[in-house]
């Protein structure tokens, strides 16, 4: 790292410093600068395509504008909209976890499925549901008694 820094010309050092400076950071997440605006916002937990489009429409920014091309005014407008109107990242994650914990505490069907680590929306479990159940655990067969 240091050797690379010493061999770089002054203009390249300045350019590298500027690229780190221009990184759009919203709600503690660094947005990818080479993506379109509506795609870049989806990197924030709790914001999907439709929410990103609503945010950009309200801020008056074109969907196709790349994240690196947003100026400070546009970034601040997006930040204020997200902070004021949408629950994202840590607070949303904690709310989801509290909802799951509540289901488990009251002992409803969905809560017991969460507790057992099985799918909870009616899927079959005989053949699939490996994502929820994890890697297969092989059970050995009983051996027949010889006469």
């Amino acid at each position: 790292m240091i050797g690379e820094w010493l061999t770089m010309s002054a203009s390249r050092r300045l350019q590298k410093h500027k690229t780190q400076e221009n990184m759009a950071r919203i709600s503690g997440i660094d947005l990818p600068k080479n993506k379109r605006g509506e795609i870049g916002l989806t990197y924030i937990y709790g914001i999907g395509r439709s929410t990103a489009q609503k945010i950009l429409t309200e801020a008056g920014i074109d969907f196709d504008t790349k994240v690196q091309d947003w100026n400070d005014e546009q970034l601040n407008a997006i930040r204020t909209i997200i902070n004021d109107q949408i629950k994202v990242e840590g607070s949303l994650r904690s709310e989801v976890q509290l909802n799951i914990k509540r289901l488990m505490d009251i002992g409803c069907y969905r809560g017991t499925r969460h507790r057992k680590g099985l799918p909870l929306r009616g899927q079959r479990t005989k053949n699939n549901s490996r994502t929820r159940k994890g890697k297969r655990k092989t059970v050995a067969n009983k051996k027949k008694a010889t006469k």
Side-chain angles (χ1 to χ4, degrees):
M1 178 75 190
I2 295 171
E4 178 191 350
W5 186 259
L6 293 172
T7 57
M8 261 193 250
S9 65
S11 61
R12 283 213 33 231
R13 267 187 244 139
L14 182 65
Q15 188 178 23
K16 190 168 186 174
H17 181 69
K18 279 186 179 179
T19 56
Q20 291 171 346
E21 208 175 86
N22 290 343
M23 177 95 39
R25 190 168 178 84
I26 299 173
S27 300
I29 301 296
D30 290 329
L31 301 183
K33 60 180 187 264
N34 58 339
K35 302 263 186 197
R36 292 171 47 234
E38 72 175 312
I39 304 299
L41 283 175
T42 61
Y43 280 65
I44 301 170
Y45 182 78
I47 297 179
R49 286 286 285 269
S50 61
T51 312
Q53 289 173 353
K54 287 175 190 170
I55 291 167
L56 291 174
T57 304
E58 198 169 320
I61 302 168
D62 186 36
F63 299 160
D64 296 328
T65 308
K66 297 222 176 194
V67 173
Q68 64 190 0
D69 297 335
W70 289 346
N71 58 31
D72 290 337
E73 288 177 18
Q74 293 171 327
L75 258 175
N76 288 334
I78 291 170
R79 276 194 196 105
T80 54
I81 292 167
I82 290 173
N83 290 338
D84 296 343
Q85 299 174 11
I86 301 165
K87 189 177 282 194
V88 291
E89 284 302 324
S91 58
L92 181 61
R93 287 180 204 269
S94 60
E95 183 182 322
V96 169
Q97 286 303 314
L98 285 171
N99 289 342
I100 292 170
K101 187 179 182 317
R102 179 181 51 82
L103 290 172
M104 289 164 64
D105 290 344
I106 62 175
C108 68
Y109 178 77
R110 282 172 58 201
T112 56
R113 302 297 280 186
H114 269 292
R115 196 174 293 132
K116 291 177 184 175
L118 293 169
L120 43 137
R121 295 187 179 175
Q123 295 93 331
R124 301 282 178 114
T125 57
K126 182 178 178 182
N127 299 320
N128 290 326
S129 74
R130 294 289 19 142
T131 305
R132 288 287 298 184
K133 288 164 68 173
K135 203 162 164 44
R136 286 185 172 86
K137 301 168 210 72
T138 307
V139 179
N141 291 341
K142 283 187 177 178
K143 294 191 176 170
K144 292 182 181 177
T146 55
K147 290 187 179 179

